[in-house]
Amino acid sequence: MEGRKLRRSLVLSISISFFLLLTWLHLPSSPENFIKKPGPTHHESDVPHHPLDPLTVHEFNKVRAILATHPLFESSSTYSLNAIALEEPDKELVLKWKRGDPLLPRKASVTAMVKGKSHILLVDLNTSEVSYNELGSTSGYPILTIEETARILEVPFKNVEFNSTIAQRGINMGDVKCVPLSSGWYNMPIENKRRVIKVQCFSMKDSVNFYMKPIEGLTVLIDIDREEVLHIFDNGRGIPVAKGIDTDYRYSVQKLRGELHLFNPISMEQPKGPSFIVEDGHLVKWANWEFHLKADARAGIIISQAKVRDPDTSEMRSVMYKGFTSELFVPYMDPTDAWYFKTYMDAGEYGFGLQAMPLDPLNDCPRNAYYMDAVFAAADATPYLRPNIICVFETYAGDIAWRHAETPFNNFKVTEVRPKVNLVVRMAASVGNYDYIVDWEFQTDGLIRSKVGLSGMLMVKGTIYDHMNQVPSEEYLYGPLLSENLIGVIHDHYIIYYLDLDIDGTDNSFTKVNIKKHETSPGESPRKSYLKAIRNVAKTEKDAQIRLSLYDPSEFHMTNPSKKTKIGNPVGYKVVPSGTAASLLDPEDPPQKRAAFTNNQIWVTPYNKSEQWAGGLFTYQSKGDDTLQVWSNRDRAIEKKDIVVWYTLGFHHIPCQEDYPIMPTVSSSFDLKPVNFFERNPILRLPPNFKHDLPLCTSHVLA
Ligand SMILES: *[C@@H]1O[C@H](CO)[C@@H](O)[C@H](O)[C@H]1NC(C)=O
Ligand SMILES: *[C@@H]1O[C@H](CO)[C@@H](O)[C@H](O)[C@H]1NC(C)=O
Ligand SMILES: *[C@@H]1O[C@H](CO)[C@@H](O)[C@H](O)[C@H]1NC(C)=O
């Protein structure tokens, strides 16, 4: 069993952040800071309480024991378990389940690589049986394991040609840091029938920020399973490694240059403590909201069974059965040798949750935040802990929930204002160079805002130029010059959300409310034109393949046609896009086919437990035969059915100098907003802030 051999090194390797992983070769650092092994911690005694609770330490160990005696693994010396997660019970069973009922049978879904083939297994933890074992029927491979990645990064250094080109470039071997880059799929003979990865390297000389010091043009193509170099592309010898002056972003280094004191220390006061609780480890209750929350190795944050309280009936009403970031797509816009393949699908290739590191209290999340741990599994199913991967906190940024002040004529004076307090669930995934801050923000007026912030380091390209006046034509740079010898290559980011909204029940319809110009007839009105809302219920999936346009505006309503307000409107929620971007790549471009879920901003599919990963279950080197586009093209009926909405949030990124050497966060979001869901403003009875509830925190500065 491969895992057994690896066990000792696992203690080190599994723990590591992607970042540390990259620095692994020559900088074995102390992983204890990043991982607590499931030893005598409170997680050792975790038991599931809810059917959706993630697998516990004990359950992972049981999966490992069951699989160890399974013929598939007994007869194979090398295998890896690339993903192990709770197989959630059928939705109808979960919906019927109530606290206090016996727990539904616990199952684990496992994807494994055995002798170069992808397998899907279902392990029943109650009966200790493997209820099925199938070969993957679509193209592509499971998520890379952290162990595989660590081994791959050692491969180039066993190659004479690699060592000699590094030496010829005048780079000290001890300064070389390499990163594992998923190679995409381009229908080339060398990538058919084997898993491949590309490794590129950087220099750590004089800066911890090695991303700003690429060894340009050097790409090592590696066979993942054989751990051997297939080819070395070595084209950039004339391109110097950027000097990396003042790129070290650590406080310990920057403070030596003099701190930028821009504001006094700041925090939010909660004199009576936070207003939320987390029951049984996963059930979050705050204000008028309640939902189940867990971390997932692939998706990151999973929100389940989100319900909001009706202020009139006190009933908890269903809004969303399940919501998570299903896939990402990050294509770089440079067709040359060392860059064309950079078209990452981070969730399915690397695991979005696997790349999320422990959050930093007071900086990642404010005081009074609650931190949730994740239990993930190594490639042999040994569980390990990723502490503080998610935080939950209330925010008050001085915003206003609603207000009105009346002009005081007739001695009539009114000023009514209510403070806006939200609950945020946050994770920050560091996928190599980039950091994705994923927020789910719950608001008391029933709105859910999904926000993504981008920070971290750009993927930059080395160049011979150190000033714009040397550049003959910007066209061939593939992005702006950011600093001496560095180009910020233009790229996009897409994050697609799976949103299984269940508005007051599972049977919902999706309605496009088209806003159309209507012209008046001659003599009808002094006005020539006005706007009308035209409702179109989507009958089938293709009716709900939506591309946004400012000049063809619509609202997108998810309604429950059988549940109406007192005055007869169907209750609903709408998907409200905000700043976003659409992919402009050719639909037949291989990366666009693989990430075809970016062909539309909104999709609606009938609920199907097997259709959750928009880029396919097996994303690594996939050919695009198992994407949301393929499913949606079946054009199934979606009216008055259990349906799922998908939303693609996009960013075009033309880098600029301020993004160097680390990017100030750029954010975008979309909302799920009640539309005729409540009878009236649901926070009408919310009290204002009163002075006596907010004791002054005295400052020694004043006085
Ligand atoms: C399955 O196992 C869980 C936890 O081990 C237990 O709580 C539950 O009652 C079992 N369910 C059945 C149907 O045996
Ligand atoms: C390449 O360099 C590394 C680091 O100096 C060394 O450990 C390794 O043995 C070298 N590989 C070959 C094939 O010479
Ligand atoms: C559910 O999804 C799977 C995977 O796409 C597909 O094979 C199956 O036909 C789908 N079932 C229905 C009823 O659409």
Side-chain angles (χ1 to χ4, degrees):
M1 177 164 169
E2 179 191 35
R4 217 164 282 152
K5 191 174 62 196
L6 270 169
R7 190 80 40 81
R8 237 168 311 125
S9 61
L10 276 183
V11 180
L12 290 169
S13 65
I14 54 182
S15 59
I16 322 177
S17 68
F18 215 68
F19 173 80
L20 276 177
L21 209 161
L22 307 174
T23 66
W24 152 273
L25 275 174
H26 302 284
L27 199 90
S29 89
S30 155
E32 284 73 37
N33 301 334
F34 294 86
I35 181 172
K36 293 178 211 144
K37 271 213 80 185
T41 72
H42 60 288
H43 290 283
E44 197 69 332
S45 55
D46 279 356
V47 287
H49 295 279
H50 186 282
L52 300 177
D53 280 357
L55 296 178
T56 62
V57 169
H58 173 74
E59 289 175 323
F60 275 115
N61 283 326
K62 195 159 177 189
V63 170
R64 190 165 52 115
I66 294 167
L67 292 183
T69 60
H70 189 273
L72 181 64
F73 304 107
E74 260 187 334
S75 61
S76 177
S77 57
T78 57
Y79 68 83
S80 58
L81 307 175
N82 298 57
I84 307 174
L86 175 78
E87 171 77 6
E88 295 188 354
D90 285 344
K91 183 170 170 180
E92 50 181 320
L93 298 176
V94 177
L95 289 173
K96 275 192 215 129
W97 185 88
K98 290 194 178 51
R99 209 171 174 211
D101 289 356
L103 205 58
L104 298 167
R106 300 279 291 170
K107 292 179 186 170
S109 77
V110 176
T111 57
M113 285 293 300
V114 184
K115 297 185 181 138
K117 295 221 156 32
S118 317
H119 290 256
I120 308 168
L121 299 103
L122 189 63
V123 180
D124 189 318
L125 288 159
N126 285 72
T127 62
S128 296
E129 278 165 6
V130 177
S131 45
Y132 68 73
N133 162 27
E134 285 173 2
L135 276 179
S137 60
T138 55
S139 67
Y141 300 104
I143 291 178
L144 289 173
T145 67
I146 291 185
E147 295 85 343
E148 276 167 348
T149 320
R151 287 198 303 272
I152 290 157
L153 291 181
E154 293 176 15
V155 174
F157 295 87
K158 294 175 189 148
N159 186 288
V160 182
E161 199 187 331
F162 177 80
N163 276 18
S164 77
T165 190
I166 294 290
Q168 280 164 30
R169 286 171 189 243
I171 299 163
N172 187 336
M173 250 323 164
D175 289 331
V176 177
K177 300 289 163 247
C178 299
V179 299
L181 306 176
S182 57
S183 53
W185 177 79
Y186 295 87
N187 199 15
M188 294 199 247
I190 204 159
E191 56 187 19
N192 285 330
K193 303 213 187 306
R194 55 159 84 83
R195 284 197 300 160
V196 295
I197 194 161
K198 288 182 171 169
V199 170
Q200 292 187 341
C201 305
F202 301 80
S203 166
M204 269 278 276
K205 190 169 184 285
D206 303 329
S207 179
V208 68
N209 192 349
F210 60 89
Y211 291 109
M212 296 304 122
K213 296 172 67 74
I215 302 172
E216 193 52 50
L218 178 61
T219 309
V220 186
L221 178 66
I222 293 172
D223 180 317
I224 297 175
D225 294 296
R226 291 165 162 267
E227 293 173 30
E228 67 184 26
V229 173
L230 295 171
H231 191 74
I232 296 183
F233 303 84
D234 189 5
N235 304 323
R237 290 198 198 190
I239 300 173
V241 173
K243 292 197 180 64
I245 294 164
D246 198 20
T247 54
D248 192 329
Y249 48 87
R250 289 174 300 175
Y251 175 63
S252 56
V253 173
Q254 288 298 327
K255 76 175 175 194
L256 303 176
R257 302 180 63 236
E259 291 177 37
L260 256 189
H261 271 300
L262 301 179
F263 51 81
N264 290 332
I266 191 163
S267 177
M268 188 184 75
E269 298 295 327
Q270 294 189 280
K272 293 181 181 172
S275 315
F276 65 92
I277 55 166
V278 182
E279 257 174 33
D280 294 336
H282 294 282
L283 199 61
V284 180
K285 295 184 173 178
W286 171 75
N288 43 359
W289 281 102
E290 106 178 20
F291 54 90
H292 185 275
L293 171 65
K294 65 180 164 188
D296 180 78
R298 180 164 181 168
I301 292 172
I302 296 183
I303 306 274
S304 301
Q305 295 197 291
K307 296 174 192 167
V308 66
R309 185 178 298 106
D310 190 299
D312 296 332
T313 62
S314 292
E315 176 201 359
M316 293 306 296
R317 296 173 60 188
S318 161
V319 175
M320 183 170 76
Y321 181 72
K322 189 172 182 180
F324 60 93
T325 45
S326 169
E327 191 52 271
L328 288 88
F329 178 45
V330 189
Y332 283 77
M333 304 301 168
D334 180 337
T336 59
D337 240 19
W339 280 81
Y340 76 88
F341 63 91
K342 296 182 181 179
T343 53
Y344 309 115
M345 293 167 75
D346 291 324
E349 293 179 336
Y350 299 106
F352 204 38
L354 283 180
Q355 310 307 333
M357 293 300 118
L359 294 158
D360 182 27
L362 290 188
N363 290 301
D364 270 327
C365 322
R367 179 167 287 155
N368 291 332
Y370 169 93
Y371 292 88
M372 188 179 283
D373 301 338
V375 179
F376 294 151
D380 70 341
T382 303
Y384 65 91
L385 205 63
R386 178 68 52 76
N388 301 351
I389 189 174
I390 293 176
C391 70
V392 182
F393 57 91
E394 286 166 287
T395 55
Y396 172 57
D399 288 336
I400 295 165
W402 60 259
R403 84 177 307 283
H404 184 64
E406 196 56 66
T407 319
F409 49 77
N410 294 343
N411 293 330
F412 171 15
K413 192 166 173 250
V414 176
T415 300
E416 291 288 334
V417 192
R418 301 295 180 269
K420 180 159 183 153
V421 177
N422 302 324
L423 185 83
V424 174
V425 174
R426 174 170 296 166
M427 183 194 82
S430 304
V431 192
N433 53 311
Y434 255 100
D435 291 61
Y436 292 87
I437 306 154
V438 176
D439 282 4
W440 288 84
E441 185 178 273
F442 293 83
Q443 307 193 354
T444 53
D445 59 1
L447 185 143
I448 303 175
R449 176 162 296 169
S450 281
K451 187 158 106 182
V452 174
L454 305 177
S455 188
M457 259 65 71
L458 288 171
M459 188 62 93
V460 295
K461 179 177 181 174
T463 173
I464 51 170
Y465 305 119
D466 57 23
H467 193 282
M468 280 305 289
N469 63 15
Q470 301 160 349
V471 179
S473 165
E474 214 184 326
E475 192 186 333
Y476 298 105
L477 289 189
Y478 308 108
L481 193 67
L482 289 188
S483 174
E484 288 82 359
N485 307 109
L486 284 184
I487 292 162
V489 175
I490 296 170
H491 59 280
D492 289 347
H493 297 265
Y494 298 96
I495 302 104
I496 183 159
Y497 286 77
Y498 172 100
L499 304 160
D500 181 5
L501 300 184
D502 280 353
I503 308 302
D504 269 335
T506 53
D507 286 356
N508 291 173
S509 291
F510 181 78
T511 304
K512 288 177 286 183
V513 182
N514 301 116
I515 300 167
K516 293 281 181 203
K517 181 175 78 174
H518 196 82
E519 285 172 15
T520 55
S521 10
E524 183 189 338
S525 163
R527 286 280 294 276
K528 284 180 103 57
S529 61
Y530 63 104
L531 303 186
K532 278 194 157 185
I534 317 280
R535 283 168 210 276
N536 286 302
V537 178
K539 307 277 183 212
T540 63
E541 289 177 285
K542 284 187 182 169
D543 293 339
Q545 296 182 350
I546 288 162
R547 294 182 161 201
L548 301 175
S549 159
L550 268 187
Y551 285 93
D552 185 14
S554 299
E555 287 197 357
F556 309 101
H557 294 198
M558 186 73 139
T559 58
N560 185 333
S562 58
K563 176 106 195 289
K564 302 219 159 79
T565 58
K566 281 183 192 140
I567 57 168
N569 286 310
V571 299
Y573 256 71
K574 59 181 176 181
V575 180
V576 188
S578 154
T580 191
S583 181
L584 304 178
L585 296 178
D586 189 304
E588 295 303 312
D589 200 348
Q592 187 61 33
K593 285 189 83 153
R594 301 178 64 226
F597 57 86
T598 58
N599 286 344
N600 297 299
Q601 286 73 56
I602 295 177
W603 311 71
V604 179
T605 56
Y607 175 81
N608 178 337
K609 206 176 165 185
S610 314
E611 294 177 350
Q612 297 204 40
W613 306 111
L617 175 66
F618 296 124
T619 315
Y620 201 93
Q621 264 172 268
S622 61
K623 301 177 182 176
D625 51 347
D626 183 28
T627 67
L628 175 54
Q629 175 82 68
V630 172
W631 314 332
S632 168
N633 279 352
R634 293 185 190 137
D635 208 19
R636 295 162 288 190
I638 53 169
E639 193 183 358
K640 291 189 194 160
K641 288 203 175 333
D642 190 359
I643 50 180
V644 175
V645 188
W646 305 74
Y647 183 76
T648 319
L649 182 64
F651 301 76
H652 292 300
H653 192 171
I654 304 174
C656 59
Q657 285 190 240
E658 289 82 355
D659 295 337
Y660 174 91
I662 184 165
M663 293 180 293
T665 306
V666 173
S667 307
S668 196
S669 65
F670 68 94
D671 294 342
L672 301 171
K673 186 179 188 304
V675 55
N676 304 323
F677 184 81
F678 296 112
E679 293 292 341
R680 61 184 59 73
N681 178 347
I683 46 171
L684 194 59
R685 289 185 276 138
L686 192 73
N689 271 336
F690 292 106
K691 239 183 193 165
H692 59 80
D693 286 332
L694 294 166
L696 250 193
C697 180
T698 52
S699 164
H700 68 275
V701 180
L702 308 173

